[in-house]
Amino acid sequence: MIKTDVLIIGGGPAGVISAITARKNYPSTKITLVRNKKVGVIPCGIPYIFYRLKSVDQDILPDEPLKKNEINLIIDEAKEIDFSSKKVVLKEEEIFYDKLILATGSKPSLLPIPGIEKEGVWLIKKDLDYLKKLKEAVMSSKDIVIIGGGFIGVEIAEDLSFFQNLNIAIVERSSHCLGGSFDEEFAKEIEKKLFSKGVKIFTNATVKEIKGEKKVEAVVLEDGKEIKADLVIVSVGARPDVDLAKKAGIRIGDYGGIWVDEYMRTSVPDVFAVGDCAETRDFFTGRHIPIMLASTATHEARIAGTNVYEMKILKKNKGTLASFCTFVGDRIFGVTGLTEKRALEGKFDFVVGESTCPDHHPASLPDTQKLKLKLIFSKASGRLLGAQLMGSQRCAEMVNLLGVLIQEEMTIYDLDFLQISTHPLITPAPTIYPVIVAAQQALSKIKR
Amino acid sequence: MIKTDVLIIGGGPAGVISAITARKNYPSTKITLVRNKKVGVIPCGIPYIFYRLKSVDQDILPDEPLKKNEINLIIDEAKEIDFSSKKVVLKEEEIFYDKLILATGSKPSLLPIPGIEKEGVWLIKKDLDYLKKLKEAVMSSKDIVIIGGGFIGVEIAEDLSFFQNLNIAIVERSSHCLGGSFDEEFAKEIEKKLFSKGVKIFTNATVKEIKGEKKVEAVVLEDGKEIKADLVIVSVGARPDVDLAKKAGIRIGDYGGIWVDEYMRTSVPDVFAVGDCAETRDFFTGRHIPIMLASTATHEARIAGTNVYEMKILKKNKGTLASFCTFVGDRIFGVTGLTEKRALEGKFDFVVGESTCPDHHPASLPDTQKLKLKLIFSKASGRLLGAQLMGSQRCAEMVNLLGVLIQEEMTIYDLDFLQISTHPLITPAPTIYPVIVAAQQALSKIKR
């Protein structure tokens, strides 16, 4: 029998940051983290284990931060929770807690299609040994079909496209890859980039069957098309892993995640939930949305770790901006807050401003690339609701800049009037800085 | 005799953006811009006319934006202003104005040293023909000495260092190149980068004499050291060009620039001043500081252009953050707000937080570079006062992110709690995002 002050179940980014934040805020407490795998994996790095990372081991989530912060690490599996005695039962032992933080993560979603059980069909699991076997299998394959054009599917396709000997295809149910995250004009650019790297893309396409004697041979679409495949990766999203919580009777939310309040507290006293296993709220509507991002997870973890003993009223969850960026064929694509599509669906009264400019100045400098920015503002209040951009690595942190503009509830009038720093080799020109230009363009539509 | 509603004197970024902003805000007015040169030059691009830009013509400030915005462009020189009749006298004609915006810019500072008049000694002038001759002269030189290690001097040295046949030396009066903009640890890194590119640096060094029969042969320092030179570039700063304003009796401020209020109005009714010719105030102290940056100039121009007919009370100058970034030897260096040195000098009660991390994650990815961030917070209020960073192009826009955090008066508590977007190939890890880590480090010092 072990006794601890703070107990964290789960060793992904959400669990680790919960533990470290609790340590920073409550230095004298005993903090214990239970992980069900010997070695943790960096989730965001998984798409890059094939080409860019020389081995899967390079994607291991290091344990040093836990040691440095004096977090007890236990490798074991949590089987059940007894709230009355404040106890978590592991396979091997029992732990009594004062405060409990659930960070049990997510599981890959499955597709109910014939043939999914065949040899050669893989999921994306946060499991080192599984990923090593997947990498080996990929290395001896020729025709790879990725089912699901969300960000995992797209990123894996992009990384694999560096191998000249591989044929890669993405099958996506909706009308565009990453169409859930970006507006059409950006999603189309992503597809163009993938296409130019030799990736075949089938959109508006549903899989009917995975064909093959024992081992996979082809993916058959609803329209009868057959795509040759000796390896299939299914990346159709993930669902919260709430087995433990459900069994214990914790309240589950609309999207199947653990229900939490603004301080990441669950329906049970002294029990918090963070990361993929917890429900996430939208920044603007306050409604639950199915978002699973490491950045959101660590944000939630910082809230839980801070508030675990004392409520810090400034540190509460205002809802996620679902800020997200990715890299496809020499371009980054970023989004924060609402897209035009989501603004329409949500019945927001909005106006759009756009800007396209060279990413440094003068444009005659070598290696000039185009930066494309789209801003969405509330028409009545002028508040910035969302932003999407496409550009070179030079504008990578612009996504975070835009995210702050939204978090700070800044308006079109503030943006028109931002103090910025520019440099010929590094940024767009001060005369046409895109955030300002896009705001002005939107402003002219409001005035009209 | 010409009559105009808005008259702008000066065709640099400050003048152009004043004109365009006035057009956006007051669509039906007649706007006229007077420029004393046939062709304008992009000031920030000048250091790169040697190597990166294939010809000086590539650094021309385009006139299209003026045409597009229906701004009348007159190439002429303003000789005097008559406020009583609201008239500017040019060489060739006279213009009556309703509102006048002065954007007369700056002139390079001179050094009162023997030999400065010799052939082979050059200044950095915003003059296309002069710059073409300078480029030609550089191309036939071998030993180049740059007097002044401010950003122009450093950037020219960096661009020239790509020519293998050139010997380049910087002579800097203070203890570090760019020591006025950055704290010592960052200035040292800049010097290291220059050094690794073959640039010789003499700091704490004053020039005694420029030696040579007629043409320059060497730069002699106070300590007797002689640096061989067949070309010398003097880049020891600039001073506001206020000849016209002074003659007309407009109030001049502490640093020799035109005095302006928060709406960029001068001491004379209906006359505004923006850019290098106008005094700039510090964001924190409100005091005048000698800052001349195109980004600041365009910011001021947007204020003047907006308020020229009607006061928009939200659009006033809160003072400059002096945000600045540069690129030296594969690294960007950025600063916004106060440095530690300036915070000390200004008697601010502050605390410092630092973070060094890989600029993407996992660090085992190819092309990983180190990002170094330093944040300065007010101890009592927790407000962010300043930030400095060093890193790859990937973190370029982080300077602007940090600038917004200061502009929005955000505190250490807000930063500890920022929503960010991360991606393995593009940004540091969400678990150790440097803005959050540096804030937490500073916070731990406050708590202690």
Side-chain angles (χ1 to χ4, degrees):
Chain A
M1 191 204 79
I2 304 174
K3 269 192 80 169
T4 190
D5 295 320
V6 181
L7 175 60
I8 294 129
I9 308 291
V16 171
I17 294 301
S18 293
I20 294 176
T21 309
R23 166 61 65 235
K24 286 211 170 86
N25 282 277
Y26 308 100
S28 58
T29 50
K30 186 176 174 192
I31 303 174
T32 305
L33 187 147
V34 174
R35 188 172 70 200
N36 64 4
K37 290 192 186 68
K38 251 199 174 138
V39 184
V41 167
I42 299 175
C44 330
I46 294 174
Y48 304 107
I49 58 169
F50 303 102
Y51 177 80
R52 288 185 178 83
L53 293 176
K54 292 314 153 208
S55 82
V56 183
D57 286 335
Q58 293 193 324
D59 199 43
I60 289 176
L61 193 66
D63 285 342
E64 283 75 22
L66 295 178
K67 275 179 217 152
K68 226 183 80 186
N69 285 285
E70 296 176 38
I71 316 290
N72 310 309
L73 175 62
I74 294 176
I75 310 293
D76 201 340
E77 205 183 319
K79 305 304 286 179
E80 59 188 73
I81 314 172
D82 176 356
F83 296 127
S84 58
S85 56
K86 294 182 99 172
K87 177 178 82 171
V88 173
V89 182
L90 310 180
K91 257 191 186 164
E92 306 290 333
E93 56 196 325
E94 294 182 351
I95 309 187
F96 287 88
Y97 65 83
D98 187 12
K99 305 285 179 180
L100 176 64
I101 301 177
L102 298 174
T104 47
S106 56
K107 297 192 249 189
S109 298
L110 294 172
L111 272 186
I113 40 170
I116 190 113
E117 74 296 341
K118 285 203 165 60
E119 199 192 316
V121 180
W122 297 77
L123 297 171
I124 298 303
K125 295 185 186 174
K126 295 164 196 163
D127 178 321
L128 192 76
D129 293 331
Y130 183 88
L131 291 172
K132 281 183 175 177
K133 282 180 203 142
L134 169 58
K135 179 164 180 166
E136 258 175 53
V138 162
M139 291 307 149
S140 60
S141 299
K142 204 173 163 303
D143 300 296
I144 297 183
V145 175
I146 297 167
I147 303 178
F151 62 91
I152 305 253
V154 164
E155 291 178 351
I156 290 178
E158 196 264 355
D159 195 56
L160 291 179
S161 73
F162 286 94
F163 295 109
Q164 297 303 320
N165 59 321
L166 289 181
N167 299 314
I168 301 145
I170 297 178
V171 177
E172 165 59 32
R173 199 177 43 173
S174 74
S175 52
H176 290 290
C177 287
L178 279 171
S181 303
F182 290 93
D183 281 330
E184 192 179 84
E185 67 270 35
F186 287 87
K188 273 184 180 167
E189 291 288 340
I190 293 170
E191 288 174 343
K192 251 196 240 171
K193 287 287 167 192
L194 286 170
F195 186 75
S196 73
K197 297 187 105 277
V199 176
K200 284 194 193 66
I201 300 170
F202 299 85
T203 50
N204 295 312
T206 327
V207 177
K208 193 174 154 191
E209 185 193 351
I210 297 176
K211 243 173 74 170
E213 301 287 306
K214 213 180 136 216
K215 199 175 173 313
V216 59
E217 286 165 23
V219 169
V220 187
L221 305 183
E222 280 296 348
D223 65 3
K225 212 174 277 153
E226 278 198 31
I227 314 168
K228 204 178 154 194
D230 47 11
L231 191 142
V232 171
I233 295 174
V234 179
S235 59
V236 292
R239 60 211 155 93
D241 186 343
V242 294
D243 295 351
L244 183 68
K246 228 173 186 168
K247 203 169 147 191
I250 295 183
R251 179 175 163 194
I252 301 296
D254 309 340
Y255 280 94
I258 300 170
W259 180 92
V260 285
D261 68 11
E262 286 174 303
Y263 295 90
M264 308 314 293
R265 295 180 296 190
T266 69
S267 59
V268 176
D270 296 323
V271 182
F272 297 73
V274 294
D276 288 2
C277 71
E279 292 263 297
T280 300
R281 271 176 226 267
D282 180 78
F283 185 80
F284 292 103
T285 63
R287 292 199 182 173
H288 287 125
I289 48 169
I291 287 288
M292 292 185 192
L293 292 165
S295 51
T296 302
T298 53
H299 180 63
E300 294 170 355
R302 289 186 184 106
I303 300 170
T306 305
N307 292 303
V308 69
Y309 274 101
E310 290 163 345
M311 303 276 279
K312 319 276 185 193
I313 63 150
L314 286 173
K315 309 286 170 182
K316 58 181 186 179
N317 198 342
K318 293 194 220 163
T320 185
L321 292 175
S323 295
F324 163 69
C325 54
T326 189
F327 188 73
V328 187
D330 84 357
R331 282 289 185 286
I332 66 151
F333 294 85
V335 55
T336 178
L338 298 177
T339 56
E340 191 172 352
K341 197 162 62 181
R342 281 183 54 215
L344 271 172
E345 285 165 6
K347 300 201 186 304
F348 286 84
D349 178 34
F350 67 91
V351 62
V352 171
E354 284 168 308
S355 166
T356 299
C357 67
D359 67 346
H360 55 196
H361 60 287
S364 45
L365 280 168
D367 184 35
T368 297
Q369 296 185 43
K370 237 178 32 185
L371 190 162
K372 184 179 164 161
L373 177 69
K374 177 177 181 177
L375 300 181
I376 293 162
F377 296 94
S378 151
K379 223 179 201 167
S381 70
R383 261 183 70 183
L384 180 62
L385 299 176
Q388 288 165 84
L389 71 80
M390 178 187 108
S392 70
Q393 295 213 19
R394 224 171 263 137
C395 50
E397 289 290 340
M398 200 181 269
V399 189
N400 285 325
L401 158 64
L402 295 162
V404 170
L405 300 180
I406 301 177
Q407 285 171 73
E408 283 301 290
E409 309 195 355
M410 288 177 80
T411 69
I412 198 165
Y413 308 98
D414 300 315
L415 262 60
D416 177 25
F417 199 64
L418 222 48
Q419 278 195 50
I420 39 129
S421 142
T422 58
H423 186 273
L425 304 178
I426 309 176
T427 73
T431 47
I432 53 162
Y433 192 72
V435 177
I436 297 174
V437 171
Q440 287 175 342
Q441 207 216 48
L443 198 54
S444 72
K445 291 184 192 170
I446 290 182
K447 279 184 182 164
R448 217 184 285 148
Chain B
M1 191 203 78
I2 304 172
K3 270 191 80 167
T4 188
D5 296 321
V6 181
L7 175 61
I8 295 129
I9 309 291
V16 171
I17 295 300
S18 294
I20 294 175
T21 310
R23 167 60 65 236
K24 286 209 169 87
N25 283 276
Y26 308 101
S28 58
T29 52
K30 184 175 175 192
I31 304 175
T32 306
L33 187 147
V34 173
R35 189 172 69 199
N36 63 5
K37 291 190 186 71
K38 253 201 172 133
V39 184
V41 168
I42 300 176
C44 331
I46 295 175
Y48 305 107
I49 58 169
F50 304 101
Y51 178 80
R52 288 185 178 83
L53 292 176
K54 293 312 153 211
S55 82
V56 183
D57 285 336
Q58 292 192 324
D59 199 43
I60 290 175
L61 194 66
D63 285 343
E64 282 76 20
L66 296 177
K67 274 179 218 152
K68 228 183 80 185
N69 285 284
E70 295 176 39
I71 317 289
N72 310 309
L73 174 62
I74 295 177
I75 310 294
D76 201 339
E77 206 183 316
K79 305 304 286 181
E80 58 188 74
I81 315 173
D82 175 356
F83 296 127
S84 58
S85 56
K86 295 183 100 173
K87 175 178 82 173
V88 173
V89 182
L90 310 180
K91 259 190 184 165
E92 306 289 332
E93 56 196 325
E94 294 182 351
I95 309 186
F96 288 86
Y97 65 81
D98 188 12
K99 305 284 178 180
L100 176 64
I101 301 177
L102 299 174
T104 46
S106 57
K107 295 192 248 189
S109 298
L110 295 172
L111 271 185
I113 40 169
I116 190 116
E117 74 295 342
K118 284 201 165 63
E119 198 193 319
V121 180
W122 297 78
L123 297 171
I124 298 304
K125 295 186 185 172
K126 294 165 196 161
D127 177 320
L128 191 76
D129 293 331
Y130 183 88
L131 292 172
K132 281 184 175 176
K133 282 179 204 142
L134 170 58
K135 179 164 181 168
E136 258 175 54
V138 161
M139 291 306 150
S140 60
S141 299
K142 204 174 162 303
D143 300 295
I144 297 182
V145 175
I146 297 166
I147 303 178
F151 62 92
I152 305 254
V154 163
E155 290 178 352
I156 290 178
E158 195 264 356
D159 196 56
L160 291 180
S161 72
F162 285 94
F163 295 109
Q164 297 302 319
N165 60 320
L166 288 180
N167 299 314
I168 301 145
I170 297 179
V171 177
E172 166 58 33
R173 200 176 44 172
S174 74
S175 53
H176 289 290
C177 287
L178 280 171
S181 303
F182 290 93
D183 282 329
E184 193 179 82
E185 67 270 34
F186 287 87
K188 275 185 179 167
E189 291 287 341
I190 292 170
E191 289 174 342
K192 250 195 240 171
K193 287 287 166 193
L194 286 171
F195 187 75
S196 75
K197 297 188 104 269
V199 176
K200 283 195 193 67
I201 300 171
F202 300 86
T203 50
N204 297 310
T206 327
V207 176
K208 192 174 156 192
E209 185 193 349
I210 297 176
K211 243 173 75 170
E213 302 286 308
K214 213 184 137 211
K215 200 177 173 311
V216 60
E217 287 166 24
V219 170
V220 186
L221 305 183
E222 279 295 349
D223 66 1
K225 212 174 276 155
E226 279 198 32
I227 314 167
K228 205 179 155 192
D230 48 9
L231 192 143
V232 172
I233 294 173
V234 179
S235 60
V236 293
R239 59 210 156 91
D241 187 343
V242 294
D243 295 351
L244 184 69
K246 231 174 183 168
K247 203 169 147 191
I250 294 184
R251 179 175 164 194
I252 302 296
D254 309 340
Y255 279 94
I258 300 170
W259 179 93
V260 285
D261 68 9
E262 287 174 303
Y263 295 90
M264 309 313 294
R265 296 180 296 190
T266 69
S267 59
V268 175
D270 296 325
V271 182
F272 297 72
V274 294
D276 288 2
C277 72
E279 293 263 295
T280 300
R281 273 176 225 266
D282 180 79
F283 185 78
F284 293 104
T285 64
R287 291 199 183 172
H288 287 127
I289 48 169
I291 287 289
M292 292 186 192
L293 293 166
S295 50
T296 303
T298 53
H299 179 64
E300 294 169 356
R302 288 185 185 107
I303 299 170
T306 305
N307 293 302
V308 70
Y309 275 100
E310 290 163 343
M311 304 275 281
K312 318 277 184 192
I313 62 151
L314 286 172
K315 308 286 172 181
K316 57 182 185 179
N317 198 342
K318 293 194 219 162
T320 185
L321 294 174
S323 295
F324 165 68
C325 54
T326 188
F327 188 72
V328 187
D330 84 358
R331 282 288 184 288
I332 65 150
F333 294 85
V335 55
T336 177
L338 299 177
T339 57
E340 191 172 350
K341 197 162 62 179
R342 280 183 56 214
L344 269 172
E345 286 165 4
K347 301 201 187 304
F348 286 85
D349 178 34
F350 67 91
V351 63
V352 171
E354 284 169 307
S355 165
T356 299
C357 67
D359 68 345
H360 53 197
H361 61 286
S364 45
L365 279 167
D367 184 35
T368 298
Q369 296 185 45
K370 236 177 35 183
L371 190 163
K372 183 179 164 161
L373 177 69
K374 178 177 180 176
L375 300 181
I376 293 164
F377 296 94
S378 152
K379 224 180 200 167
S381 70
R383 260 184 69 183
L384 181 61
L385 298 176
Q388 287 163 85
L389 71 79
M390 178 187 107
S392 71
Q393 295 212 19
R394 225 171 262 136
C395 49
E397 289 291 341
M398 200 182 269
V399 189
N400 285 326
L401 159 62
L402 294 162
V404 170
L405 300 181
I406 300 177
Q407 285 171 73
E408 284 301 290
E409 310 195 355
M410 288 176 79
T411 69
I412 198 165
Y413 308 99
D414 300 316
L415 263 61
D416 176 26
F417 199 64
L418 221 50
Q419 278 194 52
I420 38 129
S421 142
T422 59
H423 186 273
L425 303 179
I426 309 176
T427 74
T431 48
I432 53 164
Y433 192 71
V435 178
I436 296 174
V437 171
Q440 288 175 342
Q441 208 217 47
L443 197 54
S444 72
K445 290 183 191 170
I446 290 182
K447 280 185 182 163
R448 217 182 283 148

